[in-house]
Structures are given as C-alpha cells and as structure tokens.
Amino acid sequence: MSENIRDVLSDLIDSYGINILEDPDRLSQFLEDRCAREAEEAFHLTFALRYLLKGGWRAASATAVLDKEQEERLCQQLGFTAAQSRDVTALINGAVADRFTKENSAEDSFVATPGNLRRISGGISNRPRTTRIRTKSLYNGIILIASLLVLGVLFFQIGSQRTPVGDELRIAFFAPMSGPEARLSHVQLRAAQLAVERINMQGPLRGEYKIKVIGFDLPKDPAKAVAAVRNAMKDKSFLVMMLGANNGNIPDLARLAESVEAPLVITSPEPPSEEDLLDGTLPYLYTFSLVNDAKARGKVLSYFAAQALHKKQIALYYDSSGRLPEETYLSARKWAVGFGSKVVAELSYNGKRDGGHSAAMRAIAESGADLLIIPGGGKNSAKIISEARAAGFSEAILGEGYTEKTYADAGAALKGSWWVNEVSALDPPIRSVLKEYKSLYNENCPPEDVMPAILSYDGVMWIAAALQSTPGFRGEAIRHTLLATKNLALTHATLTIDPRSHLPLNKAMAIVFCANDKGIFQRRVRISKD
C-alpha cells in the first residue's frame, strides 16, 4: 500500500472517527476523491471491509486487529494474492492501532505527588473566631431559607420535566391522520412502528426501556395544528416529537418545541426551507430535520452532472409554481457554475396548469445542451422527458425522484436518463425494509410513498440512537445528543448534523440510471467538502 492512501485513511479517521471503516460505501467515495491514483488499492480495502463486516468484525472492538488466519481467509474468500491480502491487513491494522494510540496518549498530563503542589495560603486555621453568636445564627437562618427555596424550585422543576413512564420511551408522531393526506400519514406511522418493532426486538434501550410511537392528527390550519400539538405535549411522558408533514407551520411548531422543551424531528418528504428553521439568524434550538433541503439537493444535482457525468453545457427546466423545485433550481444553477459547467438554457413551466412542454423542449434541443436537468422532480417529470425525446433532445437527462410510476408513465423515453433520489426503493438496504413492511402489514408500501415511509422509519432509528446515549431525559440533554449526531448509519444514508443549521451535513443521495428504460440503482453520492 502506498503512503498516500495510509495518510488519507488516517486523516479520515481523525475527522470522522474509526467507524468510517464500517461504512465502506462512504469510505470508497472519500478515497475516490483523494486517492485517484490508488484506485485499485482503495477497491481492495473497501472490498475486504465489506467482507469483514458481514462476518461480524467491528472497527471499534477490542478484537479489531486482524490476525494471520484472517489474512489468509481474504486470499481464500476474495481471491486476493498473498501480497494484496498482506497489504490490506497491514493497512487496516495500522489504522486500528493508530486510533488506539491516539486515544490512549495523555499529553500534558500532571500527577500530584508530595512536594510538587504549591502550598495554599490562608485557610480556616489562620482566621480568629471573632463572629458573634447572634450574627452567626442570622447567617445560618438566611442560608437555611435560601436552601429551602432552592429545594422548592428544584422539586417544581422535577415535577414539570419530561420523564419516561414505566419502561417506555415515548415519541409523539404528528401528521394529518384525517382528510386527503390521511393515507400517506398512516403509511408513515406504520413505517415508524416497523422501526419500533426492530428496535425492541434487539433488546431494551439502556437495559430497561422500550420505544413507543403514538400518532396524533395534525390539522391543516396552522393555529389548530399548534393547539393540537400543545395539547398532546401536556403529557410529560412524550420525550420527542416527530413531524411527518410540512404544512407550512414549521416555524410555529419550532417555537412550540422551545416552549415545551421537547425536540422536534422533521421527517416530512418536503423539506423545510432554510428560513423555516431560523429564529432570526440562529436555528431554533429544539428543531432538527432529517431531510436534505432544496439547496443541498440542487448542489448534488450540479455536482453529479459536472464531476460524474462530465457535462459542461447544461439546460435547466423547472416548475415555477412550487417552492421546492424553484429553490432547487436556483441552487443547481449556482453550483453548476461553481463546478465548472455552463448554463446554456433555463426555462420554467407552471406545474399547476396542464400545459405541454414541446416548445420548451425544442428550444433546449437547439441550445446545444449536453444535459437537461429537471430540478425538484414531481409528477411532470415523465411527461417532460417524453416530450423532450419527441422534440429531438437525445442527450442525457438528469431528474430527481425516480419511482416505479416514472417508468410506468414514460417507458422507453427514460433510456439514458439519470436520477438523484433522497430515498430510492431500488437501494438494497431499503428493499430489505420494504420486505419487512410487507411481512408485518401484509401489503406493499405504495411506490410513491417509499420516501416518506423510509424517512419516518429512519427518524425513529435516529431518535432511538439519541435516547440510548443521552445523559438524561430532559429535553436539553436529548437535543444536545441529536445536535452531536455524527456518522450515524441509517437505512437510506449516513447522518451527520450540521450545528449551524440543524440540517444534514452533506448527506448522500441515491443515484439511479435507466440503461434501457427501467431504473437500476448505482450508488450513493455525496459531496465531501462545502
């Protein structure tokens, strides 16, 4: 192994912790960016890590160092040569040993021994007893009264704090359980309950608690929604709130979360805007989002277009009637230039009108663009692609939010198109969860509901991880634990929270390619640097 890949691996472990070795997909993307000349060595390393992880190996365990027998097994099972197996083993062992060395080193340590501490002047033995008895009694009385007041306040705070009931750690899930959005909300709640089943099967959290999720109806009217949430959170046994729908009331609910001192985790498939999470210039302390915002999505679109597809002449076509697609377009336009591409055409349409796209597609076909980006996804993507092909645009197309319905609507027109998804039903770990969903509920999760379902599922997984490691059940303690989330492996991505925004930091997105017509999952892609 070259010294470069050793140094890069050491830097990655310093930045992301030893658990980066347990996420080979993410590690391979880092190595692809930083060790382009050592692609073969990077492949051998991540290939070996995948094999070891399947066998139960963990980087942070006391038995992480590989022995001669494991080295020989790499040759037998993976087809490595003796030299390749030896190099990979040495690299993994070096990374593990370096981690333990850094953790156990104690720089600037100081041990107290007789004679090496400076004598402290003064002390009670040097003071004369000059205080009169009455004055001393007065002081003692004041101290006693102050102590009683402190105890009274303390007991009041303890009585008003949130706390588990029995052996349950409760989560309140808010979504429209009635009306036109009820079906989706029930799918989300079922997915959340599926996560509860998996967590509780693995054993009690903290050795004694089970997770429980209870759903509550979230009215469409903002004032009624706030009143409903406030009323539900009067029950002090609810430690955390989950929000499954973005009805435009996130700032109101964020302020409510502050007043009741209970963290609010947003898992809505429509992400909040940056302004939704800001109280002036700072984020609301108790509100967090699991979902990439529009700026992050637009950035990934342009990054993938320029860095992976190597496209330099880009056309953008977006829905101007929606906040999310327009914000995604603005971000994609900004970052396309930043990543070295040129925007040669940018057109919009009104998604609320059932109009055609032929004229716009002809203009894009004549613009010289070698890639058409459709930011924001939506139900119009299939129709746009079909009309683009009919208008003579034969170059690559990059869309957002591929589902089985996209294939059903567009068919062969999808050939040669790429898709960036927050969540893809084609991603193997997600397919596994969807199988469990069908097994538990005896029905398939609707294709168009896979993204909100998986976000609810992973939202519960994230909260459970926080409740497992939080130093206490006060809202302040739980929110600090959520804020400190780093490299948490969830089903659809590895999660790190940006403390500046309370949003995911460079969270990976799934890439789907339509080689002929139907989509095929490729990999997850993330931007490693801002």
Side-chain angles (χ1 to χ4, degrees):
M1 288 285 176
S2 69
E3 290 299 323
N4 181 44
I5 196 169
R6 295 178 194 274
D7 293 341
V8 169
L9 187 59
S10 178
D11 289 342
L12 290 174
I13 291 173
D14 286 343
S15 300
Y16 299 97
I18 193 67
N19 287 336
I20 190 68
L21 298 179
E22 297 179 17
D23 191 352
D25 291 336
R26 190 177 184 202
L27 179 61
S28 66
Q29 293 173 13
F30 282 135
L31 296 177
E32 180 182 333
D33 292 339
R34 304 186 190 185
C35 304
R37 296 184 179 179
E38 295 86 8
E40 183 177 354
E41 296 175 347
F43 170 76
H44 289 154
L45 172 61
T46 54
F47 191 30
L49 287 172
R50 288 188 179 93
Y51 168 73
L52 292 170
L53 289 167
K54 287 181 180 178
W57 177 86
R58 291 295 178 267
S61 70
T63 58
V65 175
L66 305 181
D67 55 24
K68 193 68 177 177
E69 182 180 347
Q70 290 169 304
E71 179 182 324
E72 293 174 355
R73 199 175 297 135
L74 295 179
C75 294
Q76 297 168 359
Q77 300 295 328
L78 305 184
F80 286 0
T81 65
Q84 290 170 344
S85 180
R86 186 169 55 251
D87 287 346
V88 168
T89 301
L91 184 59
I92 294 174
N93 287 345
V96 172
D98 184 52
R99 171 245 181 183
F100 280 110
T101 300
K102 291 178 179 178
E103 286 187 354
N104 294 328
S105 65
E107 298 179 0
D108 300 325
S109 59
F110 186 84
V111 179
T113 58
N116 76 336
L117 298 180
R118 188 176 60 186
R119 186 177 182 84
I120 301 175
S121 62
I124 192 168
S125 61
N126 297 330
R127 294 182 182 177
R129 294 175 58 86
T130 58
T131 306
R132 295 183 179 179
I133 300 246
R134 290 182 188 174
T135 306
K136 188 172 182 180
S137 299
L138 177 61
Y139 289 160
N140 289 341
I142 293 173
I143 291 173
L144 177 60
I145 293 172
S147 300
L148 291 173
L149 289 173
V150 169
L151 287 173
V153 171
L154 180 61
F155 282 124
F156 173 77
Q157 288 181 343
I158 292 173
S160 63
Q161 286 174 8
R162 302 189 176 277
T163 183
V165 171
D167 64 347
E168 293 180 349
L169 302 177
R170 296 182 179 178
I171 302 169
F173 180 85
F174 297 97
M177 298 293 174
S178 59
E181 299 179 27
R183 184 193 61 79
L184 171 59
S185 298
H186 284 281
V187 169
Q188 291 174 293
L189 185 57
R190 285 181 172 187
Q193 184 58 41
L194 176 60
V196 169
E197 295 288 333
R198 172 176 282 192
I199 293 165
N200 290 339
M201 283 180 61
Q202 294 173 351
L205 293 181
R206 308 169 78 95
E208 57 179 315
Y209 295 106
K210 294 181 179 180
I211 290 287
K212 186 173 184 178
V213 173
I214 299 177
F216 293 91
D217 186 30
L218 186 73
K220 185 80 172 178
D221 179 78
K224 292 181 179 179
V226 172
V229 175
R230 186 184 300 278
N231 186 59
M233 294 308 291
K234 288 179 181 178
D235 185 341
K236 300 297 182 181
S237 67
F238 289 112
L239 305 179
V240 182
M241 299 182 285
M242 284 179 63
L243 183 62
N246 182 355
N247 290 339
N249 51 16
I250 287 178
D252 293 330
L253 295 178
R255 286 188 286 270
L256 174 60
E258 304 250 331
S259 67
V260 300
E261 295 186 344
L264 173 66
V265 173
I266 300 169
T267 62
S268 164
E270 180 175 352
S273 66
E274 187 177 38
E275 292 74 20
D276 285 342
L277 299 179
L278 292 180
D279 182 10
T281 58
L282 298 175
Y284 288 102
L285 293 177
Y286 282 82
T287 303
F288 302 87
S289 177
L290 178 62
V291 191
N292 276 329
D293 68 349
K295 291 183 178 180
R297 294 181 181 191
K299 187 176 181 180
V300 171
L301 283 169
S302 291
Y303 174 83
F304 185 73
Q307 302 298 318
L309 300 181
H310 306 291
K311 302 298 183 181
K312 301 300 180 184
Q313 306 288 320
I314 292 176
L316 292 160
Y317 190 58
Y318 69 97
D319 180 2
S320 61
S321 68
R323 175 191 65 84
L324 181 59
E326 185 165 12
E327 288 184 358
T328 307
Y329 147 71
L330 291 172
S331 175
R333 185 182 188 280
K334 168 189 171 183
W335 286 105
V337 177
F339 290 126
S341 300
K342 181 180 180 181
V343 178
V344 297
E346 44 188 320
L347 301 170
S348 66
Y349 65 96
N350 190 326
K352 295 181 179 178
R353 300 174 184 170
D354 189 18
H357 309 277
S358 299
M361 293 303 103
R362 285 194 296 270
I364 288 173
E366 295 168 0
S367 69
D370 56 8
L371 176 70
L372 167 61
I373 297 180
I374 309 173
K379 61 182 180 181
N380 296 290
S381 295
K383 185 177 181 181
I384 293 170
I385 291 175
S386 297
E387 294 192 24
R389 297 308 189 200
F393 186 80
S394 58
E395 301 291 340
I397 296 176
L398 178 59
E400 188 181 354
Y402 174 90
T403 67
E404 290 181 8
K405 192 174 187 308
T406 311
Y407 164 68
D409 292 344
L414 294 181
K415 183 177 181 180
S417 65
W418 293 85
W419 300 82
V420 174
N421 282 33
E422 180 100 14
V423 173
S424 171
L426 304 175
D427 193 345
I430 291 174
R431 292 172 65 179
S432 176
V433 173
L434 295 178
K435 287 181 180 178
E436 291 184 21
Y437 184 99
K438 182 178 181 181
S439 175
L440 182 62
Y441 299 114
N442 198 31
E443 64 179 47
N444 288 317
C445 178
E448 64 273 19
D449 295 342
V450 169
M451 177 178 171
I454 294 298
L455 290 173
S456 293
Y457 178 93
D458 274 350
V460 173
M461 288 294 186
W462 179 22
I463 293 170
L467 293 176
Q468 172 72 8
S469 57
T470 183
F473 293 124
R474 294 181 59 185
E476 181 76 6
I478 299 173
R479 83 162 185 87
H480 273 297
T481 307
L482 291 169
L483 186 62
T485 300
K486 187 175 183 180
N487 299 327
L488 176 64
L490 298 175
T491 308
H492 76 287
T494 298
L495 179 66
T496 295
I497 290 296
D498 187 346
R500 299 167 297 182
S501 63
H502 292 202
L503 290 163
L505 179 62
N506 295 331
K507 191 179 75 170
M509 297 185 73
I511 300 298
V512 175
F513 176 60
C514 296
N516 293 310
D517 39 31
K518 200 168 185 179
I520 303 170
F521 174 78
Q522 300 295 304
R523 63 188 177 101
R524 297 174 187 171
V525 64
R526 67 182 295 275
I527 303 170
S528 57
K529 296 180 179 179
D530 290 335

